[in-house]
Amino acid sequence: AAKHVGGSGYQRYVPGMAGAVAGSAALGAQLRQAIFGGELYLEYQPIVALDADRLAGVEALVRWNHPARGAVAPVEFIPVAERTGLIVPLGEWVLREACRQLASWIVEFGPGAPGVVQVNVSARQLAAANFPDLVAAALADFGLPPHRLTVELTESAAVALGPAVTRLEELRRMGVRVSLDDFGTDRSSLTLLQDLPVDELKLDRSFVQREESGRRGIMPAAVLALARVVGLDIVAEGVEEQDQADRLAALGYRKAQGYHYARPMSPAEVGALIARPATLAGRHH
Ligand code: C2E
Ligand code: MG
Ligand code: MG
Ligand code: MG
């Protein structure tokens, strides 16, 4: 069973907790129930501005509070959602809930609120011609300025878009930011970066966590240099250790995310962090 945080009934998702779900033949039907029956919720992981006193942003990460099995990890149900097409309604729910939550933080905390909420989207969502309309509606319904929403997609999702990659241009014209997630893990070519309409790269955690000599070890510096030349923002993902944080800061990284700073957390916990930003682990003042 998932651990309860406070008295809210909010369940913390712990990786690997609900492995049994993956084998269930009825998973698709259960997932449909989860989406339309209110069993999904979002956690938010801070993205830390290394040189400032507030959250640069938060990434919304979906969780499933399964009635029998407790918290189920997205690695177990996102692939099923993609196969069954349920990713489209699931993704729309995530988008709207994340916008609603940021708008609520802005009302509560004003300038202390996270600058941006980052939402993961799959290729299948983006491939739908009405995706920009869904985004526009979510922003309008919650009164959120477009620049406070970032859409995260992986390189393989971007490639899968093919000609529909113009969808990203539509989003950017609206003022929504686009971020390339897990950067460096797919077999992409650098020409992709040259042509892809994105605002930000997220350096995959595998490059942050391996301390290696030789060619592999230069990736954080090389990708940072690349981002600067192309004029993109960059976030280092998966920072777990103080020495990783120090290395990245020394290289010139200004934004980072990872368990070293903060784990994915409930909206109430984000609120507590906003009120006391110094409690972000690993912050230097
Ligand atoms: P992602 O978008 O790359 O999200 C980062 C993942 O890394 C999250 O796992 C997060 O909890 C984890 N993480 C953060 N910091 C650290 C760290 O320091 N060390 C390690 N080892 N891991 C860290 P999570 O929440 O299990 O999500 C996994 C993936 O599921 C996400 O990867 C994303 O691709 C997908 N996902 C999550 N929510 C959604 C969603 O709403 N829609 C879609 N389409 N995909 C989602
Ligand atoms: Mg992401
Ligand atoms: Mg990532
Ligand atoms: Mg990932």
PDB file of all heavy atoms in Angstrom, residues 224-257:
ATOM      1  N   LEU A 224      25.831  21.330 -23.484  1.00  0.00           N
ATOM      2  CA  LEU A 224      25.655  22.720 -23.053  1.00  0.00           C
ATOM      3  C   LEU A 224      26.164  23.686 -24.120  1.00  0.00           C
ATOM      4  O   LEU A 224      25.495  24.671 -24.461  1.00  0.00           O
ATOM      5  CB  LEU A 224      26.389  22.967 -21.729  1.00  0.00           C
ATOM      6  CG  LEU A 224      26.355  24.417 -21.215  1.00  0.00           C
ATOM      7  CD1 LEU A 224      24.936  24.827 -20.826  1.00  0.00           C
ATOM      8  CD2 LEU A 224      27.305  24.590 -20.030  1.00  0.00           C
ATOM      9  N   ALA A 225      27.343  23.380 -24.672  1.00  0.00           N
ATOM     10  CA  ALA A 225      27.918  24.243 -25.718  1.00  0.00           C
ATOM     11  C   ALA A 225      26.992  24.287 -26.932  1.00  0.00           C
ATOM     12  O   ALA A 225      26.732  25.345 -27.503  1.00  0.00           O
ATOM     13  CB  ALA A 225      29.303  23.734 -26.110  1.00  0.00           C
ATOM     14  N   LEU A 226      26.485  23.118 -27.289  1.00  0.00           N
ATOM     15  CA  LEU A 226      25.559  23.013 -28.410  1.00  0.00           C
ATOM     16  C   LEU A 226      24.302  23.858 -28.170  1.00  0.00           C
ATOM     17  O   LEU A 226      23.865  24.621 -29.035  1.00  0.00           O
ATOM     18  CB  LEU A 226      25.182  21.541 -28.575  1.00  0.00           C
ATOM     19  CG  LEU A 226      24.363  21.123 -29.773  1.00  0.00           C
ATOM     20  CD1 LEU A 226      25.157  21.335 -31.044  1.00  0.00           C
ATOM     21  CD2 LEU A 226      23.981  19.647 -29.628  1.00  0.00           C
ATOM     22  N   ALA A 227      23.748  23.719 -26.968  1.00  0.00           N
ATOM     23  CA  ALA A 227      22.534  24.473 -26.639  1.00  0.00           C
ATOM     24  C   ALA A 227      22.794  25.974 -26.749  1.00  0.00           C
ATOM     25  O   ALA A 227      21.955  26.727 -27.260  1.00  0.00           O
ATOM     26  CB  ALA A 227      22.057  24.109 -25.225  1.00  0.00           C
ATOM     27  N   ARG A 228      23.956  26.397 -26.295  1.00  0.00           N
ATOM     28  CA  ARG A 228      24.276  27.827 -26.348  1.00  0.00           C
ATOM     29  C   ARG A 228      24.390  28.312 -27.779  1.00  0.00           C
ATOM     30  O   ARG A 228      23.878  29.380 -28.116  1.00  0.00           O
ATOM     31  CB  ARG A 228      25.591  28.092 -25.613  1.00  0.00           C
ATOM     32  CG  ARG A 228      25.392  28.123 -24.108  1.00  0.00           C
ATOM     33  CD  ARG A 228      26.675  28.464 -23.396  1.00  0.00           C
ATOM     34  NE  ARG A 228      26.425  28.659 -21.975  1.00  0.00           N
ATOM     35  CZ  ARG A 228      27.346  28.492 -21.041  1.00  0.00           C
ATOM     36  NH1 ARG A 228      28.583  28.138 -21.374  1.00  0.00           N
ATOM     37  NH2 ARG A 228      27.038  28.695 -19.776  1.00  0.00           N
ATOM     38  N   VAL A 229      25.063  27.529 -28.617  1.00  0.00           N
ATOM     39  CA  VAL A 229      25.249  27.923 -30.013  1.00  0.00           C
ATOM     40  C   VAL A 229      23.896  28.027 -30.718  1.00  0.00           C
ATOM     41  O   VAL A 229      23.640  28.961 -31.473  1.00  0.00           O
ATOM     42  CB  VAL A 229      26.164  26.913 -30.754  1.00  0.00           C
ATOM     43  CG1 VAL A 229      26.134  27.165 -32.251  1.00  0.00           C
ATOM     44  CG2 VAL A 229      27.581  27.011 -30.228  1.00  0.00           C
ATOM     45  N   VAL A 230      23.025  27.050 -30.447  1.00  0.00           N
ATOM     46  CA  VAL A 230      21.722  27.039 -31.114  1.00  0.00           C
ATOM     47  C   VAL A 230      20.748  27.998 -30.419  1.00  0.00           C
ATOM     48  O   VAL A 230      19.695  28.320 -30.957  1.00  0.00           O
ATOM     49  CB  VAL A 230      21.162  25.589 -31.164  1.00  0.00           C
ATOM     50  CG1 VAL A 230      19.881  25.502 -31.966  1.00  0.00           C
ATOM     51  CG2 VAL A 230      22.197  24.641 -31.754  1.00  0.00           C
ATOM     52  N   GLY A 231      21.115  28.461 -29.219  1.00  0.00           N
ATOM     53  CA  GLY A 231      20.260  29.416 -28.511  1.00  0.00           C
ATOM     54  C   GLY A 231      19.117  28.769 -27.760  1.00  0.00           C
ATOM     55  O   GLY A 231      18.004  29.289 -27.713  1.00  0.00           O
ATOM     56  N   LEU A 232      19.386  27.596 -27.175  1.00  0.00           N
ATOM     57  CA  LEU A 232      18.346  26.883 -26.435  1.00  0.00           C
ATOM     58  C   LEU A 232      18.626  26.919 -24.937  1.00  0.00           C
ATOM     59  O   LEU A 232      19.784  26.921 -24.520  1.00  0.00           O
ATOM     60  CB  LEU A 232      18.295  25.415 -26.880  1.00  0.00           C
ATOM     61  CG  LEU A 232      18.013  25.153 -28.355  1.00  0.00           C
ATOM     62  CD1 LEU A 232      18.083  23.663 -28.642  1.00  0.00           C
ATOM     63  CD2 LEU A 232      16.642  25.708 -28.727  1.00  0.00           C
ATOM     64  N   ASP A 233      17.553  26.912 -24.145  1.00  0.00           N
ATOM     65  CA  ASP A 233      17.690  26.700 -22.705  1.00  0.00           C
ATOM     66  C   ASP A 233      18.098  25.246 -22.478  1.00  0.00           C
ATOM     67  O   ASP A 233      17.834  24.388 -23.316  1.00  0.00           O
ATOM     68  CB  ASP A 233      16.349  26.930 -21.996  1.00  0.00           C
ATOM     69  CG  ASP A 233      16.032  28.402 -21.846  1.00  0.00           C
ATOM     70  OD1 ASP A 233      16.934  29.234 -22.063  1.00  0.00           O
ATOM     71  OD2 ASP A 233      14.872  28.704 -21.514  1.00  0.00           O
ATOM     72  N   ILE A 234      18.673  24.998 -21.320  1.00  0.00           N
ATOM     73  CA  ILE A 234      19.035  23.610 -21.018  1.00  0.00           C
ATOM     74  C   ILE A 234      18.810  23.315 -19.537  1.00  0.00           C
ATOM     75  O   ILE A 234      19.044  24.172 -18.675  1.00  0.00           O
ATOM     76  CB  ILE A 234      20.481  23.294 -21.461  1.00  0.00           C
ATOM     77  CG1 ILE A 234      20.774  21.801 -21.308  1.00  0.00           C
ATOM     78  CG2 ILE A 234      21.496  24.153 -20.719  1.00  0.00           C
ATOM     79  CD1 ILE A 234      21.957  21.342 -22.125  1.00  0.00           C
ATOM     80  N   VAL A 235      18.292  22.115 -19.285  1.00  0.00           N
ATOM     81  CA  VAL A 235      18.055  21.636 -17.928  1.00  0.00           C
ATOM     82  C   VAL A 235      18.779  20.301 -17.783  1.00  0.00           C
ATOM     83  O   VAL A 235      18.669  19.443 -18.661  1.00  0.00           O
ATOM     84  CB  VAL A 235      16.542  21.406 -17.664  1.00  0.00           C
ATOM     85  CG1 VAL A 235      16.317  20.846 -16.266  1.00  0.00           C
ATOM     86  CG2 VAL A 235      15.746  22.674 -17.881  1.00  0.00           C
ATOM     87  N   ALA A 236      19.523  20.123 -16.700  1.00  0.00           N
ATOM     88  CA  ALA A 236      20.137  18.826 -16.423  1.00  0.00           C
ATOM     89  C   ALA A 236      19.168  18.004 -15.581  1.00  0.00           C
ATOM     90  O   ALA A 236      18.674  18.460 -14.556  1.00  0.00           O
ATOM     91  CB  ALA A 236      21.455  19.012 -15.677  1.00  0.00           C
ATOM     92  N   GLU A 237      18.896  16.782 -16.021  1.00  0.00           N
ATOM     93  CA  GLU A 237      17.938  15.900 -15.343  1.00  0.00           C
ATOM     94  C   GLU A 237      18.654  14.880 -14.458  1.00  0.00           C
ATOM     95  O   GLU A 237      19.777  14.483 -14.755  1.00  0.00           O
ATOM     96  CB  GLU A 237      17.172  15.065 -16.377  1.00  0.00           C
ATOM     97  CG  GLU A 237      16.118  15.758 -17.156  1.00  0.00           C
ATOM     98  CD  GLU A 237      15.283  14.714 -17.901  1.00  0.00           C
ATOM     99  OE1 GLU A 237      15.798  14.020 -18.790  1.00  0.00           O
ATOM    100  OE2 GLU A 237      14.101  14.602 -17.572  1.00  0.00           O
ATOM    101  N   GLY A 238      17.976  14.438 -13.431  1.00  0.00           N
ATOM    102  CA  GLY A 238      18.452  13.288 -12.666  1.00  0.00           C
ATOM    103  C   GLY A 238      19.665  13.564 -11.801  1.00  0.00           C
ATOM    104  O   GLY A 238      20.493  12.685 -11.591  1.00  0.00           O
ATOM    105  N   VAL A 239      19.774  14.779 -11.268  1.00  0.00           N
ATOM    106  CA  VAL A 239      20.878  15.103 -10.365  1.00  0.00           C
ATOM    107  C   VAL A 239      20.579  14.494  -8.995  1.00  0.00           C
ATOM    108  O   VAL A 239      19.574  14.830  -8.373  1.00  0.00           O
ATOM    109  CB  VAL A 239      21.054  16.631 -10.228  1.00  0.00           C
ATOM    110  CG1 VAL A 239      22.205  16.953  -9.285  1.00  0.00           C
ATOM    111  CG2 VAL A 239      21.267  17.263 -11.602  1.00  0.00           C
ATOM    112  N   GLU A 240      21.418  13.566  -8.583  1.00  0.00           N
ATOM    113  CA  GLU A 240      21.183  12.863  -7.316  1.00  0.00           C
ATOM    114  C   GLU A 240      22.223  13.185  -6.251  1.00  0.00           C
ATOM    115  O   GLU A 240      21.965  12.989  -5.064  1.00  0.00           O
ATOM    116  CB  GLU A 240      21.162  11.343  -7.561  1.00  0.00           C
ATOM    117  CG  GLU A 240      19.964  10.879  -8.382  1.00  0.00           C
ATOM    118  CD  GLU A 240      19.914   9.373  -8.560  1.00  0.00           C
ATOM    119  OE1 GLU A 240      20.849   8.678  -8.121  1.00  0.00           O
ATOM    120  OE2 GLU A 240      18.933   8.890  -9.152  1.00  0.00           O
ATOM    121  N   GLU A 241      23.389  13.603  -6.675  1.00  0.00           N
ATOM    122  CA  GLU A 241      24.511  13.771  -5.738  1.00  0.00           C
ATOM    123  C   GLU A 241      25.027  15.203  -5.756  1.00  0.00           C
ATOM    124  O   GLU A 241      24.980  15.873  -6.787  1.00  0.00           O
ATOM    125  CB  GLU A 241      25.675  12.849  -6.134  1.00  0.00           C
ATOM    126  CG  GLU A 241      25.290  11.415  -6.409  1.00  0.00           C
ATOM    127  CD  GLU A 241      25.045  10.618  -5.146  1.00  0.00           C
ATOM    128  OE1 GLU A 241      25.403  11.114  -4.060  1.00  0.00           O
ATOM    129  OE2 GLU A 241      24.473   9.527  -5.243  1.00  0.00           O
ATOM    130  N   GLN A 242      25.569  15.599  -4.600  1.00  0.00           N
ATOM    131  CA  GLN A 242      26.158  16.930  -4.497  1.00  0.00           C
ATOM    132  C   GLN A 242      27.259  17.145  -5.535  1.00  0.00           C
ATOM    133  O   GLN A 242      27.337  18.208  -6.160  1.00  0.00           O
ATOM    134  CB  GLN A 242      26.737  17.129  -3.088  1.00  0.00           C
ATOM    135  CG  GLN A 242      27.373  18.492  -2.859  1.00  0.00           C
ATOM    136  CD  GLN A 242      26.339  19.609  -2.847  1.00  0.00           C
ATOM    137  OE1 GLN A 242      25.381  19.561  -2.073  1.00  0.00           O
ATOM    138  NE2 GLN A 242      26.507  20.590  -3.726  1.00  0.00           N
ATOM    139  N   ASP A 243      28.108  16.133  -5.746  1.00  0.00           N
ATOM    140  CA  ASP A 243      29.229  16.351  -6.677  1.00  0.00           C
ATOM    141  C   ASP A 243      28.745  16.480  -8.120  1.00  0.00           C
ATOM    142  O   ASP A 243      29.336  17.203  -8.914  1.00  0.00           O
ATOM    143  CB  ASP A 243      30.298  15.254  -6.534  1.00  0.00           C
ATOM    144  CG  ASP A 243      29.781  13.887  -6.946  1.00  0.00           C
ATOM    145  OD1 ASP A 243      28.740  13.473  -6.412  1.00  0.00           O
ATOM    146  OD2 ASP A 243      30.414  13.239  -7.798  1.00  0.00           O
ATOM    147  N   GLN A 244      27.619  15.815  -8.443  1.00  0.00           N
ATOM    148  CA  GLN A 244      27.029  16.014  -9.775  1.00  0.00           C
ATOM    149  C   GLN A 244      26.537  17.450  -9.915  1.00  0.00           C
ATOM    150  O   GLN A 244      26.760  18.105 -10.943  1.00  0.00           O
ATOM    151  CB  GLN A 244      25.856  15.040  -9.993  1.00  0.00           C
ATOM    152  CG  GLN A 244      26.273  13.581 -10.051  1.00  0.00           C
ATOM    153  CD  GLN A 244      25.098  12.624  -9.854  1.00  0.00           C
ATOM    154  OE1 GLN A 244      23.961  13.042  -9.608  1.00  0.00           O
ATOM    155  NE2 GLN A 244      25.378  11.337  -9.966  1.00  0.00           N
ATOM    156  N   ALA A 245      25.875  17.933  -8.874  1.00  0.00           N
ATOM    157  CA  ALA A 245      25.373  19.310  -8.885  1.00  0.00           C
ATOM    158  C   ALA A 245      26.524  20.298  -9.027  1.00  0.00           C
ATOM    159  O   ALA A 245      26.443  21.251  -9.818  1.00  0.00           O
ATOM    160  CB  ALA A 245      24.594  19.586  -7.596  1.00  0.00           C
ATOM    161  N   ASP A 246      27.600  20.060  -8.298  1.00  0.00           N
ATOM    162  CA  ASP A 246      28.769  20.950  -8.357  1.00  0.00           C
ATOM    163  C   ASP A 246      29.391  20.955  -9.742  1.00  0.00           C
ATOM    164  O   ASP A 246      29.749  22.015 -10.275  1.00  0.00           O
ATOM    165  CB  ASP A 246      29.821  20.518  -7.316  1.00  0.00           C
ATOM    166  CG  ASP A 246      29.351  20.755  -5.882  1.00  0.00           C
ATOM    167  OD1 ASP A 246      28.378  21.522  -5.692  1.00  0.00           O
ATOM    168  OD2 ASP A 246      29.944  20.162  -4.964  1.00  0.00           O
ATOM    169  N   ARG A 247      29.544  19.759 -10.318  1.00  0.00           N
ATOM    170  CA  ARG A 247      30.140  19.676 -11.666  1.00  0.00           C
ATOM    171  C   ARG A 247      29.310  20.446 -12.687  1.00  0.00           C
ATOM    172  O   ARG A 247      29.835  21.177 -13.515  1.00  0.00           O
ATOM    173  CB  ARG A 247      30.232  18.208 -12.117  1.00  0.00           C
ATOM    174  CG  ARG A 247      31.526  17.507 -11.749  1.00  0.00           C
ATOM    175  CD  ARG A 247      31.825  16.327 -12.691  1.00  0.00           C
ATOM    176  NE  ARG A 247      30.734  15.370 -12.823  1.00  0.00           N
ATOM    177  CZ  ARG A 247      30.485  14.389 -11.956  1.00  0.00           C
ATOM    178  NH1 ARG A 247      31.237  14.233 -10.891  1.00  0.00           N
ATOM    179  NH2 ARG A 247      29.490  13.556 -12.159  1.00  0.00           N
ATOM    180  N   LEU A 248      27.985  20.254 -12.613  1.00  0.00           N
ATOM    181  CA  LEU A 248      27.106  20.922 -13.579  1.00  0.00           C
ATOM    182  C   LEU A 248      27.171  22.437 -13.418  1.00  0.00           C
ATOM    183  O   LEU A 248      27.244  23.177 -14.406  1.00  0.00           O
ATOM    184  CB  LEU A 248      25.663  20.427 -13.413  1.00  0.00           C
ATOM    185  CG  LEU A 248      25.443  18.965 -13.810  1.00  0.00           C
ATOM    186  CD1 LEU A 248      24.125  18.449 -13.235  1.00  0.00           C
ATOM    187  CD2 LEU A 248      25.456  18.806 -15.334  1.00  0.00           C
ATOM    188  N   ALA A 249      27.153  22.904 -12.165  1.00  0.00           N
ATOM    189  CA  ALA A 249      27.220  24.340 -11.920  1.00  0.00           C
ATOM    190  C   ALA A 249      28.543  24.898 -12.431  1.00  0.00           C
ATOM    191  O   ALA A 249      28.582  25.976 -13.043  1.00  0.00           O
ATOM    192  CB  ALA A 249      27.054  24.626 -10.425  1.00  0.00           C
ATOM    193  N   ALA A 250      29.628  24.155 -12.229  1.00  0.00           N
ATOM    194  CA  ALA A 250      30.946  24.607 -12.689  1.00  0.00           C
ATOM    195  C   ALA A 250      30.990  24.695 -14.213  1.00  0.00           C
ATOM    196  O   ALA A 250      31.649  25.565 -14.778  1.00  0.00           O
ATOM    197  CB  ALA A 250      32.030  23.661 -12.172  1.00  0.00           C
ATOM    198  N   LEU A 251      30.282  23.790 -14.874  1.00  0.00           N
ATOM    199  CA  LEU A 251      30.245  23.829 -16.337  1.00  0.00           C
ATOM    200  C   LEU A 251      29.439  25.016 -16.854  1.00  0.00           C
ATOM    201  O   LEU A 251      29.632  25.446 -17.988  1.00  0.00           O
ATOM    202  CB  LEU A 251      29.615  22.539 -16.890  1.00  0.00           C
ATOM    203  CG  LEU A 251      30.463  21.274 -16.859  1.00  0.00           C
ATOM    204  CD1 LEU A 251      29.624  20.065 -17.283  1.00  0.00           C
ATOM    205  CD2 LEU A 251      31.677  21.424 -17.778  1.00  0.00           C
ATOM    206  N   GLY A 252      28.520  25.523 -16.024  1.00  0.00           N
ATOM    207  CA  GLY A 252      27.701  26.648 -16.458  1.00  0.00           C
ATOM    208  C   GLY A 252      26.222  26.333 -16.582  1.00  0.00           C
ATOM    209  O   GLY A 252      25.454  27.139 -17.091  1.00  0.00           O
ATOM    210  N   TYR A 253      25.813  25.157 -16.116  1.00  0.00           N
ATOM    211  CA  TYR A 253      24.375  24.855 -16.103  1.00  0.00           C
ATOM    212  C   TYR A 253      23.672  25.771 -15.112  1.00  0.00           C
ATOM    213  O   TYR A 253      24.196  26.039 -14.028  1.00  0.00           O
ATOM    214  CB  TYR A 253      24.147  23.384 -15.712  1.00  0.00           C
ATOM    215  CG  TYR A 253      24.282  22.432 -16.874  1.00  0.00           C
ATOM    216  CD1 TYR A 253      25.538  22.044 -17.326  1.00  0.00           C
ATOM    217  CD2 TYR A 253      23.156  21.951 -17.536  1.00  0.00           C
ATOM    218  CE1 TYR A 253      25.681  21.191 -18.413  1.00  0.00           C
ATOM    219  CE2 TYR A 253      23.294  21.092 -18.621  1.00  0.00           C
ATOM    220  CZ  TYR A 253      24.548  20.723 -19.054  1.00  0.00           C
ATOM    221  OH  TYR A 253      24.673  19.883 -20.121  1.00  0.00           O
ATOM    222  N   ARG A 254      22.490  26.261 -15.500  1.00  0.00           N
ATOM    223  CA  ARG A 254      21.756  27.173 -14.627  1.00  0.00           C
ATOM    224  C   ARG A 254      20.440  26.598 -14.130  1.00  0.00           C
ATOM    225  O   ARG A 254      19.787  27.169 -13.263  1.00  0.00           O
ATOM    226  CB  ARG A 254      21.518  28.487 -15.363  1.00  0.00           C
ATOM    227  CG  ARG A 254      22.861  29.175 -15.666  1.00  0.00           C
ATOM    228  CD  ARG A 254      22.700  30.360 -16.539  1.00  0.00           C
ATOM    229  NE  ARG A 254      21.985  31.426 -15.846  1.00  0.00           N
ATOM    230  CZ  ARG A 254      21.665  32.572 -16.410  1.00  0.00           C
ATOM    231  NH1 ARG A 254      21.973  32.797 -17.670  1.00  0.00           N
ATOM    232  NH2 ARG A 254      21.026  33.490 -15.733  1.00  0.00           N
ATOM    233  N   LYS A 255      20.028  25.476 -14.719  1.00  0.00           N
ATOM    234  CA  LYS A 255      18.794  24.823 -14.258  1.00  0.00           C
ATOM    235  C   LYS A 255      19.026  23.331 -14.132  1.00  0.00           C
ATOM    236  O   LYS A 255      19.688  22.724 -14.985  1.00  0.00           O
ATOM    237  CB  LYS A 255      17.661  25.043 -15.269  1.00  0.00           C
ATOM    238  CG  LYS A 255      17.052  26.422 -15.251  1.00  0.00           C
ATOM    239  CD  LYS A 255      15.794  26.410 -16.093  1.00  0.00           C
ATOM    240  CE  LYS A 255      15.570  27.720 -16.813  1.00  0.00           C
ATOM    241  NZ  LYS A 255      14.544  27.566 -17.866  1.00  0.00           N
ATOM    242  N   ALA A 256      18.469  22.756 -13.087  1.00  0.00           N
ATOM    243  CA  ALA A 256      18.640  21.332 -12.864  1.00  0.00           C
ATOM    244  C   ALA A 256      17.439  20.768 -12.126  1.00  0.00           C
ATOM    245  O   ALA A 256      16.642  21.492 -11.517  1.00  0.00           O
ATOM    246  CB  ALA A 256      19.919  21.067 -12.073  1.00  0.00           C
ATOM    247  N   GLN A 257      17.336  19.442 -12.200  1.00  0.00           N
ATOM    248  CA  GLN A 257      16.203  18.717 -11.640  1.00  0.00           C
ATOM    249  C   GLN A 257      16.741  17.388 -11.146  1.00  0.00           C
ATOM    250  O   GLN A 257      17.632  16.826 -11.763  1.00  0.00           O
ATOM    251  CB  GLN A 257      15.188  18.499 -12.774  1.00  0.00           C
ATOM    252  CG  GLN A 257      13.859  17.944 -12.401  1.00  0.00           C
ATOM    253  CD  GLN A 257      12.942  17.847 -13.637  1.00  0.00           C
ATOM    254  OE1 GLN A 257      13.362  18.106 -14.758  1.00  0.00           O
ATOM    255  NE2 GLN A 257      11.707  17.455 -13.416  1.00  0.00           N
TER     256      GLN A 257
END
